[in-house]
Amino acid sequence: MAILPVLFIGLVTAGILRVVALSISMRFLVVTIIFVAFAEITPSLPVGARELALFAVGVAIMPMAQLLPPYEPRHAVQRRAVASLYDALASGGPYGPALLAADRSLALLRGRRHREIDHLTELVERGEEIAQLLAAVNNRDDDVAAPWRAAVSEHLHAIGGAIRRRRPELLPSDLAVTPGQDRLQGRLIDAITTAARTTAGAPAPVPSDERRPPTSRELVRAELHPASPIVHHALRLAVTGVIGQVIGVAIGAWVGTQVLLHGHGFWVVVAVVLILFPDYGETFARGIGRTVGTLAGAAVGLALSFLPPDPILHTVTLITLFTRTRRAR
């Protein structure tokens, strides 16, 4: 039971880090669960110290692995986030979530000065300006500008595609200002033209601190108050995780090692952290899906156990299952 306070602190921290990035939160969850698993299956303190030393070696390898070439082009995640903002503007739907995602994606790299990051930051600023101008134009009731709005949407889609693929040649020619357009439409055209030229590689100004994305520390600090939904989620995750660990240990002690592998109660914690989300609807949906998936997987596993003990047949079955799982993802 000595691991329960560590489990509680680890799950609370992982829940709060969700406000920074879901990937960072999941990594902290994985490290916490690995710690709990080691603590459960370790038969003695010397063995635990040896396992911890091996785990520390693995952690030390992680920064060295960052020096390897990336599996995708540099800043691809940030480009996709900014491109999604322009896709949202082109579709005419709500752009707030896309703007927030782009800001947070760039906030992770705010301390690193890089030409591409400066361009993407400029594109986010232009995107917010375009959104405000689009809202003002769309508030009008005139139907005369419908073809012009379609052209604007097409240009924004093209800008998003050029940002995502880093291919300026996908950009169309600039929107032309016709005599029938007013000052507001002219400002919108200027903003779109500036965004297109920035995408094409025009020099971008140095990002101003007046509109800088919040840092990870500022995001966490802003959530540290009793009314924060993120704090509520973190506490709910920690409490249910600790309860799950207690239930798992109790089941292992009650059933015994002959029926259930002793020291594997942490699987209850794994189920909790994979299902529990800040949104109740998503939590229930994932819970139902995981239950159905577990039952279906158990049925398939039981059926596969009746296969003949042929190594070739087992190899083909494993490759088939692996291929189907990759396609499902």
Side-chain angles (χ1 to χ4, degrees), residues 140 142 144-145 147-149 151-152 175-190:
R140 300 176 176 178
D142 56 323
V144 180
W148 179 77
R149 290 173 183 170
V152 168
L175 280 169
V177 180
T178 60
Q181 293 170 352
D182 57 17
R183 181 179 178 185
L184 180 60
Q185 292 173 323
R187 288 180 57 191
L188 178 57
I189 291 176
D190 289 342

Side-chain angles (χ1 to χ4, degrees), residues 18 22 26 29 33 233 236-237 269-295 329:
R18 189 182 182 88
L22 179 59
M26 293 303 296
L29 280 176
I33 293 173
H233 165 68
R236 187 167 61 248
L237 182 68
V269 183
V270 173
V272 168
V273 301
L274 291 180
I275 292 174
L276 197 60
F277 271 65
D279 179 71
Y280 284 109
E282 190 172 1
T283 298
F284 287 131
R286 290 179 69 90
I288 295 173
R290 185 171 177 83
T291 302
V292 173
T294 300
L295 295 176
R329 290 181 180 178

